[in-house]
């Protein structure tokens, strides 16, 4: 794999990885945010459902023209998301990642335990602490600055330094200010600079479309003649500085923090580097890992790109070295994957799921006469309900104080809706099991939020 994406072993889940042709067992695709290294394999013809935040859903439509296959999940809530073509669900809690617009973490809970996928994030106790009352089993961690040398101030403190630097060059001077930044991220910084200088900020067309989609104030322009402050990519900023006369290049990034001196940025212009970071510092990573108390940590960054070069850094990926004191000892055994889900993912009961070199896996999948395979097919086929079966669904009207986990609601209506839509047998039990794990405040376990493409609220399904 390339980029920061990955698949979660023993599950049909991929996070920030969209090369579904190479992994046919993957059925659920989650997107943390739209930076390039997190959209590997994504294009305008991607046919599978993509779960993401509402803001990322808007940006997917803008950048990839994707709309029908995108499933936005509200931030700060837990959703019961069905695994396609099965009777099983995954509880998905969506948490603000404090990174770029639309960036979120996913806390996934199901038969595989509690798995936290941070994506890129900047740890904030005020935003994140309330979601981690219980420890997680595995965390896929953004280890971008997992180095004791990577200790830098808060963004508010660095913002003050950047504003002091820029305002030292009044508008009346002929010196132009160039900010180096990606197409997505640091929007609050750009807005603060515009307000502090009372000037418009020139951005590239792609970023301008993003700002318009996110409904930022009318303080940006695409015309260079209308602004003294320009924003562009890192390579473009150096080229622009050579053609625009006297310039000051502001690099709001901690990318070079903790690296050897020969990798520090070089320029013929006046370049100022400020550690304004959308990733967690080393001390913030320590605090965060201690908070979630995982039994296993998987780093999502293996190489670190600086000035066009990729530099492997095994120390930043050594999770035991940095977080060993906070990792819980795990006494649990292997994940027990439901038989029907194994069949769906291409591996009969008793076979390995993601290890395609497994002898039993190859033999069972290729030999349809395999006894174990036939038993697995029989088990799953018996768990289906005919599409002609009538189902009665009791509608629940949301109340003013929903339970935070899974949106448990009190019954407010006894209306019943007849549906001709087939529903796998055992779905009700699956939902109730998820609900019971969170403990509804009133002790009732027959009321919960069922989230599919229609976001229907149901309480109990009865077959007639």
């Amino acid at each position: 794999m390339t980029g920061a994406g990955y698949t979660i072993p023993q599950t049909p889940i991929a996070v920030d990885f969209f090369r579904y042709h190479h992994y046919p067992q993957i059925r659920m695709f989650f997107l943390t945010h739209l930076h390039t290294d997190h959209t590997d394999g994504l294009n305008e013809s991607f046919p599978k459902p993509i779960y993401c935040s509402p803001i990322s859903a808007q940006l997917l439509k803008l950048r990839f023209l994707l709309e029908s296959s995108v499933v936005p999940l509200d931030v700060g809530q837990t959703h019961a998301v069905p695994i396609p073509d099965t009777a099983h669900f995954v509880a998905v809690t969506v948490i603000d990642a404090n990174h770029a617009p639309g960036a979120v973490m996913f806390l996934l809970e199901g038969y595989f335990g509690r798995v936290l996928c941070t994506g890129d994030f900047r740890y904030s106790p005020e935003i994140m602490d309330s979601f981690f009352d219980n420890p997680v089993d595995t965390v896929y961690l953004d280890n971008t600055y997992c180095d004791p040398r990577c200790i830098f101030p808060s963004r508010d403190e660095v913002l003050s330094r950047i504003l002091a630097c820029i305002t030292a060059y009044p508008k009346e001077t002929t010196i132009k200010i160039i900010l180096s930044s990606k197409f997505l991220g640091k929007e609050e910084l750009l807005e603060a600079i515009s307000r502090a200088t009372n000037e418009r900020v020139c951005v590239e067309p792609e970023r301008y479309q993003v700002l318009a989609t996110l409904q930022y104030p009318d303080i940006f322009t695409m015309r260079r003649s209308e602004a003294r402050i320009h924003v562009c990519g890192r390579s473009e900023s150096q080229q622009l500085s050579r053609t625009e006369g006297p310039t000051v290049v502001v690099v709001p990034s901690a990318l070079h923090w903790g690296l050897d001196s020969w990798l520090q940025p070089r320029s013929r212009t006046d370049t100022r580097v400020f550690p304004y970071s959308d990733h967690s510092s080393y001390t913030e990573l320590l605090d965060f890992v201690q908070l979630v108390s995982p039994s296993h940590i998987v780093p999502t960054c293996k190489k670190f790109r600086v000035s066009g070069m990729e530099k492997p850094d095994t120390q930043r990926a050594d999770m035991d070295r940095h977080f060993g004191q906070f990792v819980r000892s795990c006494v649990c055994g292997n994940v027990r994957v439901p038989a029907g889900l194994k069949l769906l993912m291409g591996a009969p009961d008793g076979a390995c799921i993601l290890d395609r070199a497994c002898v039993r896996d190859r033999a069972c999948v290729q030999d349809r006469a395999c006894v174990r395979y036939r038993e697995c097919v029989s088990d799953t086929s018996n768990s289906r309900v005919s599409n002609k079966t009538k189902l009665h669904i009791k509608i629940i009207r949301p109340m003013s104080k929903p339970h935070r986990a899974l949106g448990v609601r009190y019954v407010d209506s006894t209306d019943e809706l007849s549906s001709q839509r087939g529903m796998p047998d055992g779905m009700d039990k699956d939902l109730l099991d998820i609900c019971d794990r969170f403990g509804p405040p009133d002790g009732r376990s027959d009321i919960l939020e069922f989230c599919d493409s229609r976001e229907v609220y149901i309480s109990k399904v009865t077959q007639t």
Side-chain angles (χ1 to χ4, degrees):
M1 295 182 189
T2 59
Y6 48 88
T7 60
I8 300 177
Q10 308 298 317
T11 77
I13 298 172
V15 179
D16 294 340
F17 182 76
F18 303 93
R19 297 189 180 278
Y20 64 97
H21 290 299
H22 301 286
Y23 294 83
Q25 74 277 8
I26 300 301
R27 300 301 182 95
M28 306 177 73
F29 295 85
F30 291 85
L31 174 68
T32 61
H33 65 293
L34 259 78
H35 279 160
T36 305
D37 55 330
H38 292 260
T39 57
D40 184 36
L42 191 58
N43 55 48
E44 61 275 4
S45 61
F46 189 81
K48 308 288 185 179
I50 301 173
Y51 299 94
C52 61
S53 68
I55 290 179
S56 290
Q58 295 181 52
L59 298 178
L60 280 172
K61 180 180 178 181
L62 174 67
R63 192 175 186 192
F64 294 101
L65 304 179
L66 289 172
E67 185 173 10
S68 59
S69 61
V70 178
V71 184
L73 301 176
D74 290 337
V75 180
Q77 298 184 17
T78 303
H79 309 263
V81 179
I83 301 177
D85 304 320
T86 75
H88 303 283
F89 285 73
V90 176
V92 181
T93 304
V94 186
I95 306 167
D96 185 356
N98 194 31
H99 179 65
V104 293
M105 302 178 178
F106 293 110
L107 177 59
L108 310 175
E109 300 175 85
Y111 67 87
F112 46 81
R114 289 165 54 87
V115 175
L116 174 63
C117 307
T118 68
D120 291 345
F121 79 107
R122 180 94 192 241
Y123 173 52
S124 168
E126 295 78 12
I127 296 175
M128 303 169 187
D129 280 12
S130 62
F131 293 95
F132 299 105
D133 297 332
N134 299 311
V136 302
D137 297 312
T138 300
V139 56
Y140 288 82
L141 184 68
D142 168 22
N143 60 310
T144 301
Y145 295 123
C146 190
D147 187 312
R149 297 172 294 180
C150 296
I151 299 176
F152 35 79
S154 68
R155 282 186 294 205
D156 289 340
E157 183 177 341
V158 180
L159 173 61
S160 300
R161 298 181 190 178
I162 294 175
L163 294 179
C165 172
I166 293 177
T167 54
Y169 302 92
K171 185 177 181 180
E172 293 73 21
T173 68
T174 59
I175 297 177
K176 293 193 174 182
I177 309 296
I178 300 176
L179 278 91
S180 173
S181 178
K182 295 180 179 180
F183 86 99
L184 181 66
K186 299 182 173 63
E187 284 74 15
E188 292 79 5
L189 170 64
L190 302 182
E191 184 177 1
I193 290 173
S194 175
R195 297 192 184 284
T197 60
N198 196 28
E199 298 182 47
R200 295 174 72 83
V201 176
C202 178
V203 297
E204 295 174 318
E206 185 179 21
R207 182 184 276 272
Y208 187 85
Q209 289 182 328
V210 170
L211 293 167
T213 300
L214 299 178
Q215 298 182 341
Y216 271 82
D218 185 23
I219 55 178
F220 301 99
T221 179
M222 292 184 290
R223 299 177 181 176
R224 293 184 178 179
S225 59
E226 295 182 358
R228 181 177 66 105
I229 303 173
H230 295 182
V231 182
C232 55
R234 294 188 181 97
S235 59
E236 293 83 356
S237 64
Q238 298 301 324
Q239 181 179 358
L240 190 61
S241 66
R242 290 191 290 267
T243 60
E244 293 292 334
T247 59
V248 174
V249 178
V250 175
V251 183
S253 171
L255 181 65
H256 304 278
W257 235 248
L259 295 175
D260 298 332
S261 58
W262 68 274
L263 285 174
Q264 294 292 333
R266 291 187 174 93
S267 174
R268 297 178 182 177
T269 61
D270 187 1
T271 301
R272 311 290 180 86
V273 181
F274 296 91
Y276 187 93
S277 177
D278 290 327
H279 298 264
S280 300
S281 68
Y282 183 71
T283 53
E284 290 168 342
L285 286 174
L286 292 175
D287 292 341
F288 180 75
V289 172
Q290 185 175 13
L291 169 69
V292 301
S293 185
S295 57
H296 184 51
I297 305 176
V298 180
T300 57
C301 299
K302 303 296 193 303
K303 295 183 179 180
F304 303 87
R305 182 178 294 275
V306 179
S307 301
M309 297 180 294
E310 281 193 348
K311 179 187 178 184
D313 193 333
T314 56
Q315 291 187 353
R316 293 195 188 192
D318 188 349
M319 300 293 96
D320 291 338
R321 176 173 178 260
H322 298 289
F323 308 114
Q325 58 180 322
F326 304 127
V327 174
R328 295 180 295 111
S329 59
C330 181
V331 296
C332 56
N334 295 329
V335 173
R336 184 178 183 276
V337 184
L341 188 55
K342 276 193 175 185
L343 179 63
L344 180 73
M345 296 169 64
D349 190 20
C352 299
I353 288 183
L354 297 182
D355 184 4
R356 307 307 297 179
C358 172
V359 176
R360 181 187 295 273
D361 186 14
R362 287 205 312 270
C364 289
V365 171
Q366 294 175 5
D367 183 10
R368 296 303 177 106
C370 170
V371 175
R372 186 183 295 275
Y373 186 91
R374 288 205 309 271
E375 292 173 349
C376 192
V377 172
S378 177
D379 289 344
T380 56
S381 61
N382 290 336
S383 66
R384 300 288 181 179
V385 177
S386 169
N387 288 336
K388 297 181 179 180
T389 301
K390 179 179 289 188
L391 301 171
H392 292 288
I393 303 177
K394 184 180 293 184
I395 303 300
I396 300 175
R397 188 173 299 124
M399 301 296 286
S400 58
K401 294 183 178 181
H403 184 45
R404 182 177 68 83
L406 280 185
V408 178
R409 305 291 196 267
Y410 296 95
V411 174
D412 193 46
S413 171
T414 57
D415 298 335
E416 292 190 348
L417 174 68
S418 295
S419 172
Q420 300 295 329
R421 172 172 146 336
M423 189 172 293
D425 189 21
M427 174 182 287
D428 194 34
K429 181 180 184 301
D430 245 19
L431 290 171
L432 297 183
D433 288 344
I434 293 177
C435 188
D436 283 335
R437 292 178 59 187
F438 290 95
D442 62 348
R444 303 181 66 170
S445 62
D446 61 336
I447 304 172
L448 56 140
E449 181 183 32
F450 169 60
C451 299
D452 65 358
S453 59
R454 291 165 299 283
E455 294 187 356
V456 180
Y457 294 92
I458 69 172
S459 61
K460 199 163 188 176
V461 180
T462 57
Q463 180 180 345
T464 59

